[in-house]
Amino acid sequence: MAQIYTDISRTFNEYLLMPNLTTKSCISDSIDLSTPITKYKKGEPCSLKINIPIVSAIMQSVSNDSLAIALSRCGGLSFIFGSQSIEKQAEMVRKVKKYKQGFVISDSNLTVHHTLKDVLELREATGHSTIPVTEDGLPSGKLMGIITSRDYRLSRDSLEKKVSDFMTPFSKLIAGQYGISLSEANDIIWDNKLNCLPIVDNQQNLHALVFRKDYDYHKQNPNQLMDSEKRLMVGTGINTHDYKERVPALIEAGTDIFCVDSSDGYTEWQKETIQYVKKAYGDTVKIGGGNVVDKEGFLYLVEAGADFVKIGIGGGSICITREQKGIGRGQATTVLEVAKARDEYLKETGIYIPICSDGGIVHDYHIVLALAMGADFVMMGRYFARFDESPTKKVKHGNTYVKEYWGEGSNRARNWQRYDISEEKGLKFEEGVDSYVPYAGKLKDNLEVTLSKIKSTLASCGSNSIRHLQDTARITLVSSTSIIEGGSHDVILKENDY
């Protein structure tokens, strides 16, 4: 007969954190929100961490290059959606990796023989207003000059005007010598009031550009998540069908970590995908698996070689898997069981496997609950779909603005590749809905509020790190009436006229 679990499947809404002693060391500036996202041996440092415990979901309506850039600058990580062509996904990765940081290899270059029309077309295609002019038009060619928007006037200059007639020639440029440090380059920029410093060698060949704005960005975003080459970090989602072609292309583009995007990760297809990546690339390439909801699924993916395990089925705001198939589990119960299995595995093997809690987050404090219950980081979709940087349209709905948000299991996404049980290129029924979410503005502004709440909650729990929270948190079940008690009640709320 079927195995029956008598324990109730619970959600984050059914729990509250109880306060611990808040010490004087538990202030916002001293709270460390960094967390591991890949497995490591006990006593050794983790090779890959994120600076805040938040990643964005592998969804068409959430994670593209623009959101990946914005989130990485705040210390988190995006997994760019895989339900698109390999070429388009790889190009998104390249845009994130090229976005900035320190010494930038120019990919917008012209020669002295080009015209103003070519300048405008290149600017339109790349968005770059600073264009090096090299002898052969290559990024490593002899630098002849630089073009910026201050070098031409569209109202007076002919589109056929030669670049050589309006560029700032090399003789009038201040350049840095190839081999100087980034700090030295920034000093030259500030001392000479420059916006851009070209880096050249003794033969005047261009090697890189250093921008003033990158220095400013770094100071404004001290938690930026960067790789060893000071480029923003980015993850990518892959499926269990074309991974042999997709993975190499994404590695070449610069992806930092993969995650298998599957509605149910407890499958042989997912095991084969993870094993292929580990056999082909070893530990130099990181890959997570999921989604699973119990100890058995967790251990299955760990034994396959997963660097982290993503947990949760049916808890997303646009997911209707539980309604359609009767498959899933309350997210709080899932986190508690898998975290226990993870700790047992650590005790037996000395290897720590990070857990990503995916779904079930309604309020900001749910993030802290997930962490306290044992998750190392959380993945969110609806949260990020609301922002300017997400790829969907901002539209007027009634008297307010909203953004479109749809599930990967919806017909709109047409992401049949994440469903392993069928080779048919189509969905027989939907496991996700097409919807709207309230428009909320810029990612950074909203995320700063969320992180402030997280840090304040950790302080009330007497913790100054995620690991300390997991070791010392006290959590209580709540009744339906205590949930009502926790909100505003028995008052008449004022209408804000300001």
Side-chain angles (χ1 to χ4, degrees), residues 397-454:
H397 185 66
N399 294 321
T400 187
Y401 282 99
V402 296
K403 293 204 75 177
E404 296 176 310
Y405 179 46
W406 60 90
E408 289 299 292
S410 66
N411 275 324
R412 179 172 183 174
R414 299 185 181 278
N415 188 8
W416 63 271
Q417 294 97 329
R418 73 195 304 264
Y419 299 91
D420 301 315
I421 59 175
S422 175
E423 292 294 330
E424 297 181 26
K425 296 185 178 182
L427 298 174
K428 297 299 184 183
F429 61 91
E430 293 183 284
E431 291 186 42
V433 299
D434 199 340
S435 64
Y436 295 116
V437 289
Y439 169 68
K442 293 187 178 299
L443 180 148
K444 183 180 179 182
D445 295 339
N446 288 272
L447 188 57
E448 283 179 349
V449 174
T450 295
L451 294 176
S452 178
K453 290 181 183 179
I454 291 173

Side-chain angles (χ1 to χ4, degrees), residues 16 118 171 191 306 348 402 427:
L16 287 174
D118 296 317
S171 60
D191 291 343
E348 293 171 3
V402 296
L427 298 174

Side-chain angles (χ1 to χ4, degrees), residues 198-447:
I199 306 298
V200 299
D201 60 23
N202 292 330
Q203 283 73 47
Q204 203 174 308
N205 294 317
L206 179 65
H207 284 264
L209 302 172
V210 179
F211 293 92
R212 172 192 287 263
K213 66 178 182 179
D214 287 351
Y215 178 87
D216 294 334
Y217 284 155
H218 180 69
K219 293 301 180 182
Q220 294 167 9
N221 301 276
N223 280 330
Q224 288 182 110
L225 189 64
M226 296 183 286
D227 62 20
S228 59
E229 299 179 33
K230 294 188 178 296
R231 301 175 302 176
L232 295 178
M233 294 180 65
V234 61
T236 47
I238 61 174
N239 61 63
T240 59
H241 294 266
D242 65 4
Y243 57 90
K244 292 182 181 179
E245 296 79 35
R246 191 174 293 268
V247 168
L250 294 175
I251 291 175
E252 190 276 332
T255 193
D256 294 285
I257 186 169
F258 294 99
C259 184
V260 185
D261 177 28
S262 180
S263 63
D264 176 9
Y266 195 8
T267 70
E268 292 182 343
W269 291 282
Q270 185 146 156
K271 178 181 179 181
E272 290 174 359
T273 303
I274 295 171
Q275 287 181 332
Y276 164 80
V277 171
K278 287 302 178 181
K279 183 177 180 180
Y281 302 100
D283 283 335
T284 59
V285 172
K286 307 299 183 182
I287 181 169
N291 286 20
V292 296
V293 296
D294 58 11
K295 175 180 179 179
E296 289 77 13
F298 169 78
L299 292 176
Y300 185 79
L301 294 180
V302 169
E303 294 302 324
D307 288 292
F308 72 87
V309 175
K310 190 150 68 79
I311 61 175
I313 293 177
S317 59
I318 41 70
C319 183
I320 54 173
T321 296
R322 298 179 193 176
E323 178 182 308
Q324 292 281 58
K325 295 167 60 177
I327 296 289
R329 199 178 199 185
Q331 192 65 14
T333 300
T334 294
V335 175
L336 288 168
E337 177 174 324
V338 176
K340 182 180 178 182
R342 185 266 317 282
D343 293 344
E344 291 173 352
Y345 186 84
L346 171 64
K347 188 175 181 180
E348 293 171 3
T349 66
I351 299 175
Y352 187 88
I353 310 293
I355 295 170
C356 173
S357 176
D358 177 18
I361 303 293
V362 180
H363 305 291
D364 288 343
Y365 80 87
H366 287 170
I367 298 173
V368 186
L369 271 171
L371 299 173
M373 290 175 176
D376 296 277
F377 57 106
V378 300
M379 176 175 280
M380 296 188 290
R382 178 191 60 85
Y383 179 90
F384 290 108
R386 305 173 298 148
F387 303 145
D388 287 324
E389 295 84 355
S390 75
T392 62
K393 296 178 182 177
K394 172 186 170 184
V395 298
K396 192 82 177 289
H397 185 66
N399 294 321
T400 187
Y401 282 99
V402 296
K403 293 204 75 177
E404 296 176 310
Y405 179 46
W406 60 90
E408 289 299 292
S410 66
N411 275 324
R412 179 172 183 174
R414 299 185 181 278
N415 188 8
W416 63 271
Q417 294 97 329
R418 73 195 304 264
Y419 299 91
D420 301 315
I421 59 175
S422 175
E423 292 294 330
E424 297 181 26
K425 296 185 178 182
L427 298 174
K428 297 299 184 183
F429 61 91
E430 293 183 284
E431 291 186 42
V433 299
D434 199 340
S435 64
Y436 295 116
V437 289
Y439 169 68
K442 293 187 178 299
L443 180 148
K444 183 180 179 182
D445 295 339
N446 288 272
L447 188 57

Side-chain angles (χ1 to χ4, degrees), residues 4-11 14-15 328-334 336-337 477-478:
I4 306 297
Y5 289 78
T6 57
D7 292 338
I8 297 174
S9 180
R10 298 189 182 277
T11 68
E14 298 176 76
Y15 293 92
R329 199 178 199 185
Q331 192 65 14
T333 300
T334 294
L336 288 168
E337 177 174 324
L477 275 168
V478 295

Side-chain angles (χ1 to χ4, degrees), residues 174-175 188-198 211-212:
I174 296 174
I188 295 174
I189 287 174
W190 282 94
D191 291 343
N192 294 278
K193 299 180 180 179
L194 305 174
N195 288 321
C196 174
L197 178 73
F211 293 92
R212 172 192 287 263

